[in-house]
Amino acid sequence: MFVVGISAYYHDSAVALIRDGVIIAAAQEERFTRKKHDAAFPAQALQFCLAQAGIQADEVDYVAFYDKPFLKFERLLETYLAFAPKGFSSFRLALPVWLREKLFLKNLLAKELKNFSPTINWEDKLLFGEHHVSHAASAFYPSPFEEAAVLTLDGVGEWATSSLAIGRGKKLEVIKEIHFPHSLGLLYSAFTYHLGFKVNSGEYKVMGLAPYGRPIYVDTIFKHLIDVKSDGSFRLDMKYFDYCAGLTMTNRHFGELFQLSVRKAEQELTQAHMDMAASLQAATEQVISLLVAEVAKETGLKNLCLAGGVALNCVANGKIFKDKHFENIWVQPAAGDAGGALGAALAAYHGYLDQEREPCIGFDHMRGSYLGPEFAQADIESRLRAAGAEFEVLDEATLIANCVDDLQMGNAIGWFQGRMEFGPRALGARSILGDARSPHMQSTLNLKVKFRESFRPFAPSILREDVTTWFDFDADSPYMLMVAEVKESQRIATPEAEKDLFGIDKLKVARSTIPAVTHVDYSARLQTVTADTNPRYHALLSSFKQLTGCPILVNTSFNVRGEPIVNTPEEAFKCFMGTDIERLAIGNCYLKKEKQNPALKISYENAFELD
């Protein structure tokens, strides 16, 4: 039985396809259209998933959509009525879109699907799941657990903003919810907006900015913005927010509270901005810790699954791990709305169709989240020749040896291998790699390769077998969703003259033997690598360790700021030629920058809208 899941029309459109409960393929539409966070119907992602499964559209048994538009419209109407007449301008903009498209989503989806098979009555095959059920299903069913508590935290679905579900076998039941407008995700997005970053994409920047600041506004947040009970339940004071009925996330009361106006994009970040980020992150962690403690107490379960956009907050996840309220924690790697496509398909198969779960073989059912397109070696060579690239074709051992030599000499490498990742993180399939020991690699990658803000941290990929030697962490973190501290033995004492540095000046200080991946608070966003899910990447790390004694590489996504992660060899070559990446490894093809035709070098820095 084939079930397709679709997430679309809000942000991060995606498609997932399962066969008899097994995940065959999943991808975000942005990777094909090259439009960051593309919200359109994911036609190209669907075409890929069908091709990967080797089927035609008419062989699909059901198509599951990740939320229920009528419930969303109900929330929209009730919210505008509650705040009337204040929200009229926003209502006037939203209503035509709903009347033209979203209220008739079943017809719209059927029309799009007819482009794949015009003779099928697609409306009979369409199923709609609730937003938080889709999130919960994306977390529980692919997890290795037979039984687990499932906590979903995001901005808002139909009405729910936070939910608790219990998963047992093929059954998944939501038992508690917190409803709009009270939302931890929207609180985080409100600060994201006020700090000058894009809502629904810039939240991770706020998380990365937080360690440069001081959490001096935590009491202000809890006194004025959010009322939190001992069990973690909460309510926001809407006096300070404008997202219910206005066109912005915050209002003048919010700015007056912090004595700080909304920052313009690209405006200089001050210590006050950093302090706001630090305070928000600290407050968010406190609320999540209370919620998780209550879930553990109430359910008595040993396993916890996490999903929803807030579950991408790997710093908070690291705190949950350290609190040890649960023996095991599993986070969906595509925890945001893209993962809702996978959850919708799995909820339809196991919930609506009442089909059993397959036993878990390996770490989980996600296959390392390598669920996207891949390219055969002959196809890679043909595409690179057509792009004008100069390359060598090497056997795997020689390719890895060359790359290891390049890395230890300080070169950055574009690493394009196997199937593309599903979710926002590059996990060693579409990555830019560097030497974690280099004191210059962090700033070099940010400014000369990624063309992004200098404060942004990079993640380490580390051999799973070596993680306890380098970090205060002893578990799997294959999806880069856990933050841990660098081991005391690997740290470097901060000189007295530099201990009082504030803000971005903290970047000047090397804090450990792996400075390129050590954040200013000694933390790192870990990816543990095993041979069973990514053998070539594991081999690269192993060879680098053999040469240098260090089993760690800098791993950042293969793209520039504002661009989706590269999907094809042509896109990888274009990014290679438009940045200061020195080497490129695509399949068994090995490229040196100095061997390329200089006429193919392009100005890539301003090629995409800033994120």
Side-chain angles (χ1 to χ4, degrees), residues 5-41:
I6 293 177
S7 161
Y9 304 123
Y10 184 46
H11 58 91
D12 295 311
S13 293
V15 175
L17 188 149
I18 63 174
R19 178 179 60 213
D20 298 330
V22 177
I23 305 166
I24 302 300
Q28 295 116 288
E29 185 71 359
E30 66 164 22
R31 307 292 170 85
F32 302 92
T33 63
R34 313 310 298 155
K35 180 182 177 183
K36 191 86 168 175
H37 304 297
D38 196 344
F41 179 83

mmCIF file of all heavy atoms in Angstrom, residues 5-41:
data_model
loop_
_atom_site.group_PDB
_atom_site.id
_atom_site.type_symbol
_atom_site.label_atom_id
_atom_site.label_comp_id
_atom_site.label_asym_id
_atom_site.label_seq_id
_atom_site.Cartn_x
_atom_site.Cartn_y
_atom_site.Cartn_z
ATOM 1 N N GLY A 5 2.132 11.703 1.828
ATOM 2 C CA GLY A 5 1.829 12.792 2.752
ATOM 3 C C GLY A 5 2.257 14.112 2.146
ATOM 4 O O GLY A 5 3.318 14.190 1.500
ATOM 5 N N ILE A 6 1.460 15.143 2.329
ATOM 6 C CA ILE A 6 1.751 16.462 1.758
ATOM 7 C C ILE A 6 1.628 17.545 2.828
ATOM 8 O O ILE A 6 0.660 17.573 3.587
ATOM 9 C CB ILE A 6 0.805 16.792 0.584
ATOM 10 C CG1 ILE A 6 1.066 15.852 -0.599
ATOM 11 C CG2 ILE A 6 0.966 18.244 0.136
ATOM 12 C CD1 ILE A 6 0.125 16.068 -1.772
ATOM 13 N N SER A 7 2.627 18.423 2.860
ATOM 14 C CA SER A 7 2.574 19.655 3.643
ATOM 15 C C SER A 7 2.716 20.798 2.653
ATOM 16 O O SER A 7 3.639 20.793 1.833
ATOM 17 C CB SER A 7 3.731 19.678 4.659
ATOM 18 O OG SER A 7 3.979 20.978 5.124
ATOM 19 N N ALA A 8 1.826 21.786 2.702
ATOM 20 C CA ALA A 8 1.874 22.860 1.708
ATOM 21 C C ALA A 8 1.041 24.059 2.140
ATOM 22 O O ALA A 8 0.242 23.976 3.068
ATOM 23 C CB ALA A 8 1.367 22.350 0.356
ATOM 24 N N TYR A 9 1.276 25.168 1.452
ATOM 25 C CA TYR A 9 0.483 26.396 1.510
ATOM 26 C C TYR A 9 0.692 27.233 2.768
ATOM 27 O O TYR A 9 -0.050 28.168 3.001
ATOM 28 C CB TYR A 9 -1.007 26.092 1.321
ATOM 29 C CG TYR A 9 -1.304 25.355 0.037
ATOM 30 C CD1 TYR A 9 -1.954 24.119 0.047
ATOM 31 C CD2 TYR A 9 -0.905 25.870 -1.194
ATOM 32 C CE1 TYR A 9 -2.215 23.430 -1.136
ATOM 33 C CE2 TYR A 9 -1.154 25.185 -2.377
ATOM 34 C CZ TYR A 9 -1.803 23.974 -2.344
ATOM 35 O OH TYR A 9 -2.045 23.305 -3.506
ATOM 36 N N TYR A 10 1.685 26.901 3.570
ATOM 37 C CA TYR A 10 2.032 27.784 4.684
ATOM 38 C C TYR A 10 3.508 28.136 4.586
ATOM 39 O O TYR A 10 3.876 29.219 4.189
ATOM 40 C CB TYR A 10 1.664 27.147 6.026
ATOM 41 C CG TYR A 10 1.913 28.068 7.205
ATOM 42 C CD1 TYR A 10 1.497 29.401 7.172
ATOM 43 C CD2 TYR A 10 2.561 27.607 8.342
ATOM 44 C CE1 TYR A 10 1.728 30.253 8.244
ATOM 45 C CE2 TYR A 10 2.795 28.460 9.429
ATOM 46 C CZ TYR A 10 2.380 29.771 9.369
ATOM 47 O OH TYR A 10 2.611 30.618 10.427
ATOM 48 N N HIS A 11 4.376 27.203 4.929
ATOM 49 C CA HIS A 11 5.798 27.334 4.613
ATOM 50 C C HIS A 11 6.412 25.943 4.649
ATOM 51 O O HIS A 11 5.870 25.015 5.230
ATOM 52 C CB HIS A 11 6.534 28.286 5.568
ATOM 53 C CG HIS A 11 6.461 27.910 7.016
ATOM 54 N ND1 HIS A 11 7.388 27.106 7.629
ATOM 55 C CD2 HIS A 11 5.563 28.239 7.980
ATOM 56 C CE1 HIS A 11 7.075 26.953 8.902
ATOM 57 N NE2 HIS A 11 5.970 27.628 9.146
ATOM 58 N N ASP A 12 7.547 25.781 3.959
ATOM 59 C CA ASP A 12 8.268 24.510 3.916
ATOM 60 C C ASP A 12 7.409 23.361 3.374
ATOM 61 O O ASP A 12 7.234 22.333 4.032
ATOM 62 C CB ASP A 12 8.810 24.155 5.303
ATOM 63 C CG ASP A 12 9.866 25.151 5.763
ATOM 64 O OD1 ASP A 12 10.780 25.443 4.978
ATOM 65 O OD2 ASP A 12 9.772 25.650 6.901
ATOM 66 N N SER A 13 6.864 23.559 2.182
ATOM 67 C CA SER A 13 6.103 22.486 1.536
ATOM 68 C C SER A 13 6.986 21.254 1.345
ATOM 69 O O SER A 13 8.176 21.373 1.058
ATOM 70 C CB SER A 13 5.591 22.942 0.169
ATOM 71 O OG SER A 13 4.629 23.951 0.308
ATOM 72 N N ALA A 14 6.381 20.088 1.481
ATOM 73 C CA ALA A 14 7.142 18.848 1.371
ATOM 74 C C ALA A 14 6.218 17.692 1.024
ATOM 75 O O ALA A 14 4.994 17.787 1.163
ATOM 76 C CB ALA A 14 7.868 18.545 2.689
ATOM 77 N N VAL A 15 6.840 16.603 0.573
ATOM 78 C CA VAL A 15 6.122 15.360 0.280
ATOM 79 C C VAL A 15 6.890 14.201 0.899
ATOM 80 O O VAL A 15 8.125 14.191 0.909
ATOM 81 C CB VAL A 15 5.992 15.129 -1.239
ATOM 82 C CG1 VAL A 15 5.353 13.776 -1.532
ATOM 83 C CG2 VAL A 15 5.162 16.232 -1.879
ATOM 84 N N ALA A 16 6.157 13.247 1.425
ATOM 85 C CA ALA A 16 6.744 11.992 1.888
ATOM 86 C C ALA A 16 5.931 10.842 1.306
ATOM 87 O O ALA A 16 4.715 10.971 1.118
ATOM 88 C CB ALA A 16 6.743 11.917 3.416
ATOM 89 N N LEU A 17 6.580 9.745 1.017
ATOM 90 C CA LEU A 17 5.896 8.565 0.476
ATOM 91 C C LEU A 17 6.297 7.340 1.279
ATOM 92 O O LEU A 17 7.491 7.095 1.506
ATOM 93 C CB LEU A 17 6.253 8.369 -1.000
ATOM 94 C CG LEU A 17 5.457 7.288 -1.753
ATOM 95 C CD1 LEU A 17 5.297 7.664 -3.221
ATOM 96 C CD2 LEU A 17 6.144 5.923 -1.661
ATOM 97 N N ILE A 18 5.295 6.588 1.741
ATOM 98 C CA ILE A 18 5.559 5.352 2.476
ATOM 99 C C ILE A 18 4.914 4.179 1.739
ATOM 100 O O ILE A 18 3.888 4.326 1.086
ATOM 101 C CB ILE A 18 5.056 5.425 3.934
ATOM 102 C CG1 ILE A 18 3.536 5.590 3.986
ATOM 103 C CG2 ILE A 18 5.739 6.562 4.687
ATOM 104 C CD1 ILE A 18 2.964 5.517 5.403
ATOM 105 N N ARG A 19 5.564 3.038 1.838
ATOM 106 C CA ARG A 19 5.040 1.801 1.253
ATOM 107 C C ARG A 19 4.905 0.777 2.370
ATOM 108 O O ARG A 19 5.877 0.395 3.010
ATOM 109 C CB ARG A 19 5.987 1.270 0.169
ATOM 110 C CG ARG A 19 5.509 -0.060 -0.460
ATOM 111 C CD ARG A 19 6.468 -0.523 -1.547
ATOM 112 N NE ARG A 19 7.802 -0.742 -0.990
ATOM 113 C CZ ARG A 19 8.931 -0.526 -1.666
ATOM 114 N NH1 ARG A 19 8.899 -0.076 -2.910
ATOM 115 N NH2 ARG A 19 10.107 -0.755 -1.099
ATOM 116 N N ASP A 20 3.668 0.376 2.636
ATOM 117 C CA ASP A 20 3.394 -0.589 3.714
ATOM 118 C C ASP A 20 4.046 -0.148 5.026
ATOM 119 O O ASP A 20 4.605 -0.958 5.766
ATOM 120 C CB ASP A 20 3.886 -1.984 3.315
ATOM 121 C CG ASP A 20 3.171 -2.516 2.080
ATOM 122 O OD1 ASP A 20 2.003 -2.146 1.878
ATOM 123 O OD2 ASP A 20 3.783 -3.269 1.316
ATOM 124 N N GLY A 21 3.975 1.149 5.289
ATOM 125 C CA GLY A 21 4.491 1.690 6.544
ATOM 126 C C GLY A 21 5.969 2.014 6.542
ATOM 127 O O GLY A 21 6.474 2.590 7.510
ATOM 128 N N VAL A 22 6.690 1.659 5.480
ATOM 129 C CA VAL A 22 8.130 1.918 5.396
ATOM 130 C C VAL A 22 8.364 3.222 4.630
ATOM 131 O O VAL A 22 7.800 3.426 3.554
ATOM 132 C CB VAL A 22 8.858 0.749 4.693
ATOM 133 C CG1 VAL A 22 10.342 1.061 4.533
ATOM 134 C CG2 VAL A 22 8.657 -0.550 5.472
ATOM 135 N N ILE A 23 9.208 4.081 5.185
ATOM 136 C CA ILE A 23 9.490 5.375 4.541
ATOM 137 C C ILE A 23 10.395 5.142 3.335
ATOM 138 O O ILE A 23 11.517 4.643 3.467
ATOM 139 C CB ILE A 23 10.156 6.346 5.529
ATOM 140 C CG1 ILE A 23 9.307 6.511 6.786
ATOM 141 C CG2 ILE A 23 10.385 7.702 4.866
ATOM 142 C CD1 ILE A 23 10.041 7.182 7.942
ATOM 143 N N ILE A 24 9.898 5.515 2.158
ATOM 144 C CA ILE A 24 10.651 5.327 0.924
ATOM 145 C C ILE A 24 11.369 6.601 0.506
ATOM 146 O O ILE A 24 12.528 6.564 0.077
ATOM 147 C CB ILE A 24 9.717 4.870 -0.223
ATOM 148 C CG1 ILE A 24 9.006 3.565 0.163
ATOM 149 C CG2 ILE A 24 10.485 4.708 -1.531
ATOM 150 C CD1 ILE A 24 9.951 2.412 0.452
ATOM 151 N N ALA A 25 10.697 7.739 0.613
ATOM 152 C CA ALA A 25 11.288 8.996 0.155
ATOM 153 C C ALA A 25 10.590 10.163 0.828
ATOM 154 O O ALA A 25 9.414 10.078 1.195
ATOM 155 C CB ALA A 25 11.164 9.123 -1.363
ATOM 156 N N ALA A 26 11.327 11.266 0.967
ATOM 157 C CA ALA A 26 10.755 12.507 1.496
ATOM 158 C C ALA A 26 11.656 13.660 1.081
ATOM 159 O O ALA A 26 12.883 13.536 1.088
ATOM 160 C CB ALA A 26 10.631 12.459 3.020
ATOM 161 N N ALA A 27 11.055 14.785 0.718
ATOM 162 C CA ALA A 27 11.844 15.939 0.276
ATOM 163 C C ALA A 27 11.025 17.212 0.371
ATOM 164 O O ALA A 27 9.803 17.194 0.232
ATOM 165 C CB ALA A 27 12.332 15.741 -1.155
ATOM 166 N N GLN A 28 11.729 18.328 0.582
ATOM 167 C CA GLN A 28 11.103 19.649 0.599
ATOM 168 C C GLN A 28 11.104 20.232 -0.811
ATOM 169 O O GLN A 28 12.064 20.066 -1.569
ATOM 170 C CB GLN A 28 11.862 20.585 1.542
ATOM 171 C CG GLN A 28 11.798 20.165 3.000
ATOM 172 C CD GLN A 28 13.162 19.799 3.548
ATOM 173 O OE1 GLN A 28 13.729 18.766 3.204
ATOM 174 N NE2 GLN A 28 13.689 20.640 4.425
ATOM 175 N N GLU A 29 10.053 20.950 -1.131
ATOM 176 C CA GLU A 29 9.920 21.545 -2.462
ATOM 177 C C GLU A 29 11.002 22.584 -2.736
ATOM 178 O O GLU A 29 11.441 22.753 -3.874
ATOM 179 C CB GLU A 29 8.529 22.160 -2.615
ATOM 180 C CG GLU A 29 8.219 22.714 -3.982
ATOM 181 C CD GLU A 29 8.022 21.657 -5.067
ATOM 182 O OE1 GLU A 29 8.142 20.442 -4.744
ATOM 183 O OE2 GLU A 29 7.741 22.043 -6.210
ATOM 184 N N GLU A 30 11.458 23.279 -1.702
ATOM 185 C CA GLU A 30 12.464 24.324 -1.891
ATOM 186 C C GLU A 30 13.728 23.810 -2.562
ATOM 187 O O GLU A 30 14.404 24.553 -3.285
ATOM 188 C CB GLU A 30 12.837 24.952 -0.548
ATOM 189 C CG GLU A 30 13.548 23.997 0.407
ATOM 190 C CD GLU A 30 14.251 24.697 1.570
ATOM 191 O OE1 GLU A 30 13.868 25.840 1.887
ATOM 192 O OE2 GLU A 30 15.187 24.102 2.139
ATOM 193 N N ARG A 31 14.058 22.541 -2.348
ATOM 194 C CA ARG A 31 15.290 21.993 -2.914
ATOM 195 C C ARG A 31 15.217 21.897 -4.437
ATOM 196 O O ARG A 31 16.244 21.883 -5.111
ATOM 197 C CB ARG A 31 15.581 20.617 -2.318
ATOM 198 C CG ARG A 31 15.593 20.563 -0.801
ATOM 199 C CD ARG A 31 16.771 21.324 -0.184
ATOM 200 N NE ARG A 31 16.630 21.463 1.254
ATOM 201 C CZ ARG A 31 17.001 20.553 2.141
ATOM 202 N NH1 ARG A 31 17.525 19.408 1.738
ATOM 203 N NH2 ARG A 31 16.849 20.777 3.435
ATOM 204 N N PHE A 32 14.012 21.808 -4.965
ATOM 205 C CA PHE A 32 13.824 21.691 -6.410
ATOM 206 C C PHE A 32 13.583 23.054 -7.057
ATOM 207 O O PHE A 32 14.111 23.335 -8.133
ATOM 208 C CB PHE A 32 12.655 20.761 -6.715
ATOM 209 C CG PHE A 32 12.825 19.381 -6.142
ATOM 210 C CD1 PHE A 32 12.330 19.079 -4.882
ATOM 211 C CD2 PHE A 32 13.492 18.388 -6.843
ATOM 212 C CE1 PHE A 32 12.489 17.805 -4.335
ATOM 213 C CE2 PHE A 32 13.662 17.117 -6.310
ATOM 214 C CZ PHE A 32 13.159 16.823 -5.050
ATOM 215 N N THR A 33 12.792 23.904 -6.414
ATOM 216 C CA THR A 33 12.456 25.204 -6.998
ATOM 217 C C THR A 33 13.519 26.256 -6.716
ATOM 218 O O THR A 33 13.531 27.307 -7.359
ATOM 219 C CB THR A 33 11.116 25.718 -6.447
ATOM 220 O OG1 THR A 33 11.231 25.929 -5.021
ATOM 221 C CG2 THR A 33 9.999 24.721 -6.716
ATOM 222 N N ARG A 34 14.395 25.992 -5.710
ATOM 223 C CA ARG A 34 15.444 26.908 -5.274
ATOM 224 C C ARG A 34 14.869 28.162 -4.631
ATOM 225 O O ARG A 34 15.530 29.198 -4.581
ATOM 226 C CB ARG A 34 16.388 27.299 -6.430
ATOM 227 C CG ARG A 34 16.886 26.146 -7.269
ATOM 228 C CD ARG A 34 17.464 24.995 -6.454
ATOM 229 N NE ARG A 34 18.623 25.400 -5.674
ATOM 230 C CZ ARG A 34 19.017 24.775 -4.564
ATOM 231 N NH1 ARG A 34 18.323 23.738 -4.092
ATOM 232 N NH2 ARG A 34 20.095 25.175 -3.917
ATOM 233 N N LYS A 35 13.659 28.070 -4.118
ATOM 234 C CA LYS A 35 13.025 29.161 -3.401
ATOM 235 C C LYS A 35 12.936 28.771 -1.930
ATOM 236 O O LYS A 35 12.204 27.862 -1.551
ATOM 237 C CB LYS A 35 11.627 29.441 -3.955
ATOM 238 C CG LYS A 35 10.893 30.570 -3.253
ATOM 239 C CD LYS A 35 9.485 30.758 -3.829
ATOM 240 C CE LYS A 35 8.733 31.837 -3.079
ATOM 241 N NZ LYS A 35 7.334 31.978 -3.578
ATOM 242 N N LYS A 36 13.686 29.462 -1.084
ATOM 243 C CA LYS A 36 13.788 29.111 0.329
ATOM 244 C C LYS A 36 12.413 29.090 0.993
ATOM 245 O O LYS A 36 11.618 30.019 0.831
ATOM 246 C CB LYS A 36 14.684 30.132 1.035
ATOM 247 C CG LYS A 36 15.092 29.761 2.444
ATOM 248 C CD LYS A 36 16.322 28.895 2.474
ATOM 249 C CE LYS A 36 16.874 28.793 3.895
ATOM 250 N NZ LYS A 36 18.002 27.877 3.977
ATOM 251 N N HIS A 37 12.127 28.014 1.714
ATOM 252 C CA HIS A 37 10.865 27.835 2.436
ATOM 253 C C HIS A 37 9.652 27.875 1.498
ATOM 254 O O HIS A 37 8.572 28.343 1.885
ATOM 255 C CB HIS A 37 10.697 28.877 3.548
ATOM 256 C CG HIS A 37 11.811 28.910 4.536
ATOM 257 N ND1 HIS A 37 12.117 27.832 5.345
ATOM 258 C CD2 HIS A 37 12.720 29.878 4.840
ATOM 259 C CE1 HIS A 37 13.161 28.140 6.110
ATOM 260 N NE2 HIS A 37 13.539 29.363 5.825
ATOM 261 N N ASP A 38 9.803 27.406 0.293
ATOM 262 C CA ASP A 38 8.727 27.433 -0.696
ATOM 263 C C ASP A 38 7.459 26.815 -0.117
ATOM 264 O O ASP A 38 7.479 25.703 0.416
ATOM 265 C CB ASP A 38 9.162 26.669 -1.951
ATOM 266 C CG ASP A 38 8.280 26.972 -3.158
ATOM 267 O OD1 ASP A 38 7.180 27.525 -2.965
ATOM 268 O OD2 ASP A 38 8.684 26.654 -4.279
ATOM 269 N N ALA A 39 6.346 27.562 -0.240
ATOM 270 C CA ALA A 39 5.069 27.115 0.328
ATOM 271 C C ALA A 39 4.109 26.580 -0.719
ATOM 272 O O ALA A 39 3.013 26.134 -0.384
ATOM 273 C CB ALA A 39 4.405 28.279 1.071
ATOM 274 N N ALA A 40 4.501 26.603 -1.984
ATOM 275 C CA ALA A 40 3.602 26.194 -3.057
ATOM 276 C C ALA A 40 3.356 24.692 -3.047
ATOM 277 O O ALA A 40 4.050 23.935 -2.356
ATOM 278 C CB ALA A 40 4.188 26.615 -4.411
ATOM 279 N N PHE A 41 2.349 24.258 -3.813
ATOM 280 C CA PHE A 41 2.105 22.821 -3.925
ATOM 281 C C PHE A 41 3.400 22.134 -4.354
ATOM 282 O O PHE A 41 4.012 22.513 -5.353
ATOM 283 C CB PHE A 41 1.004 22.526 -4.939
ATOM 284 C CG PHE A 41 0.735 21.053 -5.093
ATOM 285 C CD1 PHE A 41 -0.091 20.397 -4.204
ATOM 286 C CD2 PHE A 41 1.332 20.322 -6.122
ATOM 287 C CE1 PHE A 41 -0.326 19.027 -4.320
ATOM 288 C CE2 PHE A 41 1.103 18.958 -6.244
ATOM 289 C CZ PHE A 41 0.271 18.316 -5.337
#
